[in-house]
Amino acid sequence: YINQNITISQPIVLPEGYKLIVSPGININLEKSGSILIKGPLIMNGEKSNKITVNSLKGGKGIMVLNSSQSSFIRNSIFNGLNTNSTSSTNITGGLSFYNSKVEIDSVEFRNSQSEDSINLIRSPFLIRNSYFKNTFSDAIDVDFSNGTIQNVSFENIGNDAIDISGSEVNIIDIKINSARDKAISVGERSNLYGKNIKISNAFIGLASKDLSSVMIKEFISKDVKICIAAYQKKAEYGPGFIKLKDSDTNCKNNYVLEEGSSIKFAGYTLIPNSSSAYKELYSLD
């Protein structure tokens, strides 16, 4: 249990079978080489008027849940400034990371993330809802080989991709993304994405489907997006991308990148390919 405010300045590892429970209203400061690695569930049941806060300060790292046999639950909490937990040899890139560990996140704020991903999910079933991501250095949510749902989540000032999905099956519902420097939603490596009521503004690419991924979205709206939708192949070992939009922003019909072999279906129309090498053209590669 953590039931009083605490500063952690060196790595803490909880062995298999232990759970970490944090009481409402607690402040956890990770400083210097401070980080937390848990081989059991993480339970953070904050309250609306008494939230749990985790801060990374003065070089502090992040939190990782590894191979937990029980589900983690995080509610009414704030993660501020977290960096990648580099104490593990696994390829983890999130300030908050779950590897082979089921998690449910509800009413959580992720602010000022300094890591490659605010949250990284690897082979971890998940539910993220009623949450908020703001001022991330790179990606906000990175989903790798994990199935789950993202619902009623907002993103603001994202340094790279807001939602980055690889090898996964994901539902996204009631999503708002404002200001993503690269892709608002990126879907790759044989993923399936199903979405409804998606609003995107101020992004380089609104929605990208690549490498044998399939995207179906109802009610997709974009504003001030350089390229509304894109479907293409990025990695040689995969193949084309597929997008189907219904009841969506008609502006996308004239603002897309579609590589030969990929497909975009829009309001019953099949769009005409307009690129032979989309990835190179999008990112001005030689």
Side-chain angles (χ1 to χ4, degrees), residues 9-107:
S9 56
Q10 59 186 12
I12 290 180
V13 179
L14 273 66
E16 188 176 346
Y18 283 76
K19 65 174 68 173
L20 179 59
I21 301 173
V22 184
S23 298
I26 293 300
N27 288 322
I28 300 173
N29 289 332
L30 302 173
E31 294 186 355
K32 300 177 182 176
S33 59
S35 63
I36 301 174
L37 172 62
I38 311 160
K39 297 181 181 179
L42 172 62
I43 310 297
M44 297 174 62
N45 273 322
E47 299 166 351
K48 280 189 177 180
S49 58
N50 206 19
K51 294 184 178 182
I52 297 167
T53 302
V54 181
N55 294 300
S56 181
L57 309 165
K58 302 175 184 175
K61 305 299 182 182
I63 299 175
M64 176 179 169
V65 179
L66 176 66
N67 295 326
S68 174
S69 60
Q70 300 178 52
S71 297
S72 294
F73 295 92
I74 304 174
R75 299 186 180 97
N76 294 305
S77 299
I78 299 169
F79 293 91
N80 181 45
L82 266 62
N83 211 330
T84 302
N85 186 344
S86 56
T87 61
S88 173
S89 60
T90 52
N91 184 25
I92 301 298
T93 56
L96 177 64
S97 301
F98 293 85
Y99 186 95
N100 194 30
S101 303
K102 188 175 182 180
V103 61
E104 181 177 317
I105 293 171
D106 191 353
S107 304

Side-chain angles (χ1 to χ4, degrees), residues 134-206:
K134 185 175 182 179
N135 298 337
T136 69
F137 168 73
S138 189
D139 295 348
I141 300 177
D142 190 349
V143 180
D144 296 312
F145 310 104
S146 304
N147 298 339
T149 296
I150 304 169
Q151 183 169 9
N152 190 31
V153 177
S154 297
F155 303 81
E156 186 175 353
N157 192 24
I158 307 302
N160 200 49
D161 302 337
I163 301 174
D164 186 1
I165 298 167
S166 300
S168 304
E169 187 160 310
V170 178
N171 294 287
I172 60 173
I173 306 157
D174 301 332
I175 303 295
K176 293 181 180 178
I177 300 170
N178 179 26
S179 184
R181 290 188 186 174
D182 193 3
K183 300 174 287 294
I185 301 170
S186 176
V187 188
E189 297 185 14
R190 283 196 182 91
S191 293
N192 292 309
L193 175 69
Y194 306 91
K196 184 177 181 182
N197 188 27
I198 313 300
K199 295 184 172 79
I200 295 169
S201 58
N202 300 302
F204 174 51
I205 299 173

